[in-house]
Amino acid sequence: PKPGERMHKVAQLALARDDRDAYRRLVSTWQDPASLVIDAEERSSAVDDPVGAAALPDLLRRMMLLDQRTYLPDDLLVKLDRASMAVGLEARVPMLDHRVVALSWRIPPAFNVRAGVGKRVLRRVLARKVPDELVERPKSGFAVPLAEWLRGPLRPWAEGLLDESRLKSDGLLHPRPVRQAWERLLAGRGNPHGVWAILMLQAWLAARSTSVPSNDSRRKEDR
């Protein structure tokens, strides 16, 4: 993430009530989804489960378990599967082999994180096989330039889906927070992922409205 995004996350963590709330703030694109969706309230999830992660003795293991139960299957692995299968590619995740996962849970947390350096055991194993410059370097993810796309070539498409009158007509979302998030993004501020989530909902609604016949057309077909 960019420095501004990091500072935003730190500010959100400062408001956290407890460990579970801190985790939710780290992984959520909308901090208060109930204020976004009309007549709705946020449902409980694995993050709220008092028996699962909350029963573990330290914060690192609690966050590891929550990642395994939510972030991995509901986000990263879904994207991997869809992106690879879209081009007929069989992808593998060797680090999630059940034996590797079981071993990772047996390693004391102090062996994994020390002096601000994480994945210490994995780093030492890799150091036997590959040069240090391939291991000791900044993390590089596979993020796409959403903000640049939405402010550039995708802006007309996004503007149409986020039009205030359209949002009111759909009746699912409060237009004001959506428009505020969109305007912040256009001004070069904020995280684009929250806006992208709304765009996906709006695009799905648009596709559904064109594919589902209206009541009038169904009546005519019945005749």
Side-chain angles (χ1 to χ4, degrees), residues 119-129 135-136:
K119 305 177 183 177
R120 296 183 74 252
V121 173
L122 182 60
R123 289 173 189 269
R124 295 188 67 176
V125 172
L126 288 174
R128 302 174 186 171
K129 305 291 184 180
V135 178
E136 303 300 333

Side-chain angles (χ1 to χ4, degrees), residues 35-55:
S35 67
L36 178 69
V37 182
I38 297 173
D39 296 330
E41 59 184 39
E42 188 173 7
R43 299 176 64 180
S44 61
S45 67
V47 178
D48 305 298
D49 180 5
V51 177

Side-chain angles (χ1 to χ4, degrees), residues 115-178:
V117 178
K119 305 177 183 177
R120 296 183 74 252
V121 173
L122 182 60
R123 289 173 189 269
R124 295 188 67 176
V125 172
L126 288 174
R128 302 174 186 171
K129 305 291 184 180
V130 298
D132 285 346
E133 57 267 23
L134 297 180
V135 178
E136 303 300 333
R137 62 178 185 175
K139 183 177 180 180
S140 179
F142 299 97
V144 296
L146 278 181
E148 289 80 0
W149 287 353
L150 291 173
R151 287 194 291 265
L154 295 182
R155 180 169 177 172
W157 167 77
E159 285 279 14
L161 292 174
L162 301 180
D163 179 75
E164 185 170 356
S165 61
R166 182 173 194 156
L167 292 167
K168 289 179 179 178
S169 175
D170 290 336
L172 289 179
L173 305 174
H174 292 290
R176 184 176 180 183
V178 175

Side-chain angles (χ1 to χ4, degrees), residues 47-142:
V47 178
D48 305 298
D49 180 5
V51 177
L56 294 172
D58 59 84
L59 176 61
L60 179 60
R61 290 191 182 277
R62 289 196 291 273
M63 296 189 78
M64 284 172 58
L65 180 59
L66 288 170
D67 270 354
Q68 283 188 211
R69 296 182 64 186
T70 60
Y71 185 47
L72 277 173
D74 296 338
D75 190 295
L76 297 181
L77 295 179
V78 172
K79 292 174 181 175
L80 172 68
D81 182 63
R82 291 177 180 172
S84 58
M85 295 310 294
V87 293
L89 177 66
E90 286 286 349
R92 294 292 182 266
V93 281
M95 299 303 292
L96 291 182
D97 180 277
H98 67 93
R99 291 160 295 191
V100 177
V101 173
L103 175 62
S104 73
W105 276 98
R106 292 197 295 270
I107 297 174
F111 283 27
N112 273 328
V113 181
R114 187 181 299 172
V117 178
K119 305 177 183 177
R120 296 183 74 252
V121 173
L122 182 60
R123 289 173 189 269
R124 295 188 67 176
V125 172
L126 288 174
R128 302 174 186 171
K129 305 291 184 180
V130 298
D132 285 346
E133 57 267 23
L134 297 180
V135 178
E136 303 300 333
R137 62 178 185 175
K139 183 177 180 180
S140 179
F142 299 97

Side-chain angles (χ1 to χ4, degrees), residues 13-32:
L13 288 178
L15 301 173
R17 300 184 300 274
D18 51 35
D19 293 348
R20 283 179 287 172
D21 188 36
Y23 183 85
R24 182 188 289 104
R25 289 173 180 273
L26 282 172
V27 300
S28 297
T29 55
W30 287 90
Q31 296 300 327
D32 185 13

